[in-house]
Amino acid sequence: MKNNIKDDSIVQIERGKILREKFLVFGSPLIEQPEIDEVIGSLKSGWIGTGPKVHQFEEMFKKYKGVKYAMALNSCTAALHLSMVAIGIKPGDEVIVPTMTFAATANAVIHAGGKPVFVDCQRDTMNIDPDDIERKISQRTKAIIPVHFGGRPCDMDRIVNIARKHNLKIIEDSAHAIETEYKGKKTGTFGDIGCFSFYVTKNIVTGEGGMAVTDNEDYANQIKILGLHGMSKDAWKRFSDAGYKHYQVVYSGFKYNMMDLQAAIGIHQLPRVEKYWKRRKEIWDRYNNAFDNLPVFVPAAVEQNTKHAFHLYTLLIDIDRLRISRDQFLSEMTKQNIGVGVHYIALHLHPFYQKTYAYKRGDFPNSEWISDRTVSIPLSAKLTDGDVEDVIGAVSDAITIT
Ligand SMILES: *Cc1c(COP(=O)(O)O)cnc(C)c1O
């Protein structure tokens, strides 16, 4: 970060002038004609629930990730929950989770009966800190859920080593990280199970939707069956033209199946994953360049030998030096008709986790430092060059307010 404000790379604007009329929705996805046609096709076919398109989407995802099994579900939260059940998390078990994440990561552990044990993140990468993981391991620890924050891969060499040493499972929360690679290997394939999200703001979308991937046949079968009421495999085919098939209920399962209506979107989004990534990288580079001279911290450089998924562009507002607070910055951006996000207020600062597990402010200094300063600005393949310049103009306007 540089402190002197030079005006050569930022847009010159009249202070406080509203730059755009139309509100720029944060995380708005790019939806194109083929998925619109495919959804209509699904509706007209009469088979809108789990069916052949879900199967096709799973096959495509399996190839994309280079894994043996891919199970489409109605969310990444469902994938995380079923992963916890599949690896056998029970009451009394502890699972290591970064506090700098979305609530779903920790709630999945709780829904399986386990206890999430929070770990701090590194200030620069915002990813889970391997040293703190080691400090928080106890006799009860069964698994680690690394979250590839904003699309940046965690330090998987160290995490895999720690897991081996302590005989822990790894479930990767790859909700931000569909494209991410670490030393040539795709995220979601390092541990026992990888979980992905196709929620509206994510890098590719199905509306709501998620996927669990694994090379372990037993986990794959459990997730498949648990996701559809605990009914025996391929129960979704029971109404097909192959004739009615009896099913058996083998677990008390959940209702987590993806619909063909959702997969209809996914099968057209997935082939564009690289094209969308390239567009986000362009925007990312433009932002880096534009904010170089502003009193904000921009995301850390992409590490050698990794691929960053560029899911979130997080600015850290230097509240120690500026007159503006983070929350004032958020409202200035909204006034400028730019949608913003906060990823995240660390979980241990939320009432539920404080009440239930006695966490308090002061427990995780790096995550708190980020929680107090972070703002995510739009980074979607849908953004036009004009949108990007509006965001840059709004940021420089908000940040230089005195
Ligand atoms: C979005 C998100 C999830 C949950 O994904 P859903 O598909 O909405 O259930 C989980 N973890 C992280 C880090 C996320 O950002």
Side-chain angles (χ1 to χ4, degrees), residues 75-78 80 101-102 104-105 147 173 175-176 196-199 202 208-210 344:
S75 71
C76 180
T77 306
L80 289 164
T101 185
F102 184 56
T105 320
V147 178
D173 181 339
H176 300 172
F196 296 87
S197 175
F198 313 117
Y199 176 65
K202 300 287 158 70
E208 298 284 359
Y344 297 94

Side-chain angles (χ1 to χ4, degrees), residues 351-367:
F352 172 79
Y353 308 101
Q354 296 200 334
K355 268 190 292 184
T356 313
Y357 307 111
Y359 286 116
K360 58 186 188 314
R361 190 172 262 275
D363 288 345
F364 304 99
N366 289 341
S367 301

Side-chain angles (χ1 to χ4, degrees), residues 152-171:
R152 182 189 304 274
C154 294
D155 185 346
M156 291 316 292
D157 279 349
R158 285 212 48 206
I159 293 170
V160 167
N161 273 330
I162 292 168
R164 273 205 198 115
K165 189 167 139 200
H166 298 272
N167 194 23
L168 308 175
K169 304 282 187 218
I170 298 175
I171 307 300

